[in-house]
Amino acid sequence: MMATGNTRSGGFLVLCAVIVTCSADPGHRQLFIQVNPGSNSTPPLGDLLHVRAVGDNDTLHFLFCSQGAPTLLFVHTNSSSSNVQVNWTQFLAPNTSGSLKVEPESSVLYSSAIVFSRLLEYDDVNNTAEPTSEFFPPYDLQNFTWNRLNLSGHTALLCGADASFTNGSLCLQLSVFDSEGRSQSLPHLLHSVNSSQLELRLDGVPARAAQSRFLLELQAVGGDYPLSRMEVHESIDDEYTPSIFKVSRWVSSVNGSSDVLGFAQWKPVAYRHDCPALEDATPCRHSAPRAQSGAAVMAASGLIRGFFSDPESVALNVSFGLAGEPFYNSTHFLSWTLLVGVGSPPVDFFSPLVVAIMAVGLGTPLILILVGGVWVCVHKRRAAASYEPIN
């Protein structure tokens, strides 16, 4: 159903999104994939991909659209028969909202979206990795020219370019899967059946300075509860992501409670080559979330405009590289991985290998102390027994 796209043709930015969603069977969903559902012709301005991830008692609808700024929308319902309805005449109209619905509407439990709104570039003249007034005009992704979705099995590739690009281009690759697991490439993020994975790649985009660094602007959009709170969790286990002991989480909750409705999660690391390796790792950081205009994001994204009537929007930037790290020009490549989903984010536990190493590392000294204590006690008892009483 899809032709596999080459993820390094000419130079581009790739974003991989993987959806694994919750159901009564926590390890499996049945996937149904359709491009431009209900349309009798090819839409002129971009495609709409719809994935139904069906469980025993629920469904997660995953929609990916290139009408304007690329947008990833997921809607969780409590019905295994819910579906998406699109009024294409209204959906293609620039000033019309409410053209896309999940029916029955009463089955919707939670909905959220992430908009890939802008790519920002600045000249780090002092090698401080601190964005200053040296920003170049941003790349607004809503103004890119997008090719048609290229589908292959459970993956979809979307490529586009800004008018100023020469050999570089910007691509988003979406992958959906029906079971939980772990990404095969660094940073080897663990995905549950409630999550989606997004891999961003910046490849061959022409830099506008000799010391260029990039930032990616993300906008989280929701009805009542968009992603709004940032958390940073630490771990002592770096088996799957060497040298990285933290994970950043952008979560949605009700009135700041501990119950998470949706999340975006990532390791604060990016990679400077197509085949990521430890020596190619470069740190990344995020800004504090900030409220945005819902009207502005509706104007930028056709999917947001079609589904939400009065959305809340929160944005943040992810910056790549720290002071002293190589600049983008060193390889003209950058990749970063993001996990998105509903419910609580998956948590890495100690693997059997790490448990065994800890057991050996901590257990051996304890055994030596125990054996040494027993030997000292036995030696003292023998010495005491060899003394003769004095009359």
Side-chain angles (χ1 to χ4, degrees):
M1 187 162 86
M2 289 163 82
T4 303
N6 184 353
T7 61
R8 193 179 177 92
S9 66
F12 48 77
L13 176 113
V14 181
L15 183 73
C16 306
V18 184
I19 290 289
V20 189
T21 55
C22 53
S23 67
D25 177 0
H28 179 77
R29 277 187 182 275
Q30 190 173 8
L31 301 180
F32 301 90
I33 302 175
Q34 188 177 11
V35 180
N36 302 320
S39 177
N40 296 323
S41 60
T42 301
L45 301 177
D47 290 318
L48 172 66
L49 177 70
H50 175 216
V51 178
R52 290 180 69 230
V54 182
D56 292 339
N57 302 305
D58 68 342
T59 303
L60 192 138
H61 298 274
F62 172 57
L63 297 111
F64 182 66
C65 184
S66 58
Q67 298 270 348
T71 302
L72 172 66
L73 167 69
F74 49 97
V75 183
H76 187 206
T77 73
N78 60 9
S79 170
S80 58
S81 60
S82 62
N83 211 335
V84 166
Q85 300 295 329
V86 183
N87 183 323
W88 279 98
T89 301
Q90 296 181 6
F91 189 76
L92 297 176
N95 299 315
T96 304
S97 61
S99 56
L100 186 150
K101 298 180 180 180
V102 174
E103 296 180 345
E105 294 184 66
S106 60
S107 68
V108 175
L109 300 174
Y110 176 75
S111 60
S112 187
I114 288 187
V115 181
F116 304 93
S117 51
R118 296 194 302 170
L119 183 68
L120 301 102
E121 180 184 0
Y122 67 98
D123 187 3
D124 189 11
V125 292
N126 297 319
N127 197 11
T128 60
E130 293 293 339
T132 63
S133 58
E134 303 294 332
F135 271 103
F136 295 103
Y139 295 113
D140 287 312
L141 302 192
Q142 63 176 310
N143 297 327
F144 274 45
T145 300
W146 299 103
N147 298 331
R148 293 296 169 185
L149 281 173
N150 190 358
L151 305 180
S152 178
H154 292 169
T155 66
L157 181 66
L158 172 68
C159 291
D162 181 78
S164 64
F165 286 5
T166 51
N167 295 325
S169 50
L170 195 154
C171 296
L172 310 171
Q173 182 171 300
L174 167 69
S175 303
V176 292
F177 38 55
D178 54 8
S179 60
E180 58 187 29
R182 186 181 295 278
S183 173
Q184 295 184 356
S185 61
L186 285 170
H188 299 302
L189 291 185
L190 175 69
H191 55 256
S192 72
V193 292
N194 306 327
S195 61
S196 61
Q197 179 174 292
L198 302 156
E199 182 188 348
L200 178 147
R201 294 186 179 181
L202 184 63
D203 188 358
V205 172
R208 288 175 282 187
Q211 296 171 304
S212 283
R213 296 194 192 277
F214 282 91
L215 297 86
L216 176 71
E217 182 183 79
L218 300 175
Q219 296 196 33
V221 183
D224 296 326
Y225 306 106
L227 307 180
S228 58
R229 188 176 79 243
M230 281 301 307
E231 302 173 347
V232 177
H233 294 258
E234 297 187 0
S235 171
I236 64 172
D237 185 3
D238 70 339
E239 177 186 359
Y240 295 105
T241 313
S243 76
I244 305 300
F245 297 92
K246 293 181 180 180
V247 60
S248 300
R249 294 174 182 169
W250 193 14
V251 300
S252 165
S253 61
V254 179
N255 299 323
S257 68
S258 58
D259 294 331
V260 175
L261 301 176
F263 67 90
Q265 173 175 281
W266 62 89
K267 290 291 187 74
V269 61
Y271 297 93
R272 295 188 300 271
H273 283 95
D274 191 12
C275 297
L278 176 59
E279 57 270 19
D280 302 324
T282 186
C284 59
R285 297 174 296 174
H286 63 266
S287 65
R290 59 192 185 280
Q292 296 285 294
S293 167
V297 74
M298 288 181 71
S301 168
L303 183 55
I304 297 298
R305 184 171 59 248
F307 183 77
F308 293 100
S309 58
D310 187 21
E312 297 287 334
S313 177
V314 180
L316 60 74
N317 293 334
V318 177
S319 59
F320 305 105
L322 298 180
E325 290 287 320
F327 300 104
Y328 171 76
N329 308 55
S330 64
T331 60
H332 287 89
F333 185 90
L334 199 64
S335 70
W336 173 69
T337 305
L338 170 72
L339 201 70
V340 178
V342 298
S344 297
V347 178
D348 266 318
F349 294 99
F350 290 126
S351 67
L353 174 61
V354 173
V355 171
I357 293 174
M358 292 176 63
V360 172
L362 297 176
T364 301
L366 292 176
I367 293 174
L368 292 176
I369 292 172
L370 180 61
V371 171
V374 171
W375 182 86
V376 169
C377 291
V378 171
H379 182 72
K380 286 185 176 181
R381 288 178 62 88
R382 288 180 178 176
S386 66
Y387 293 139
E388 302 215 358
I390 300 176
N391 291 330

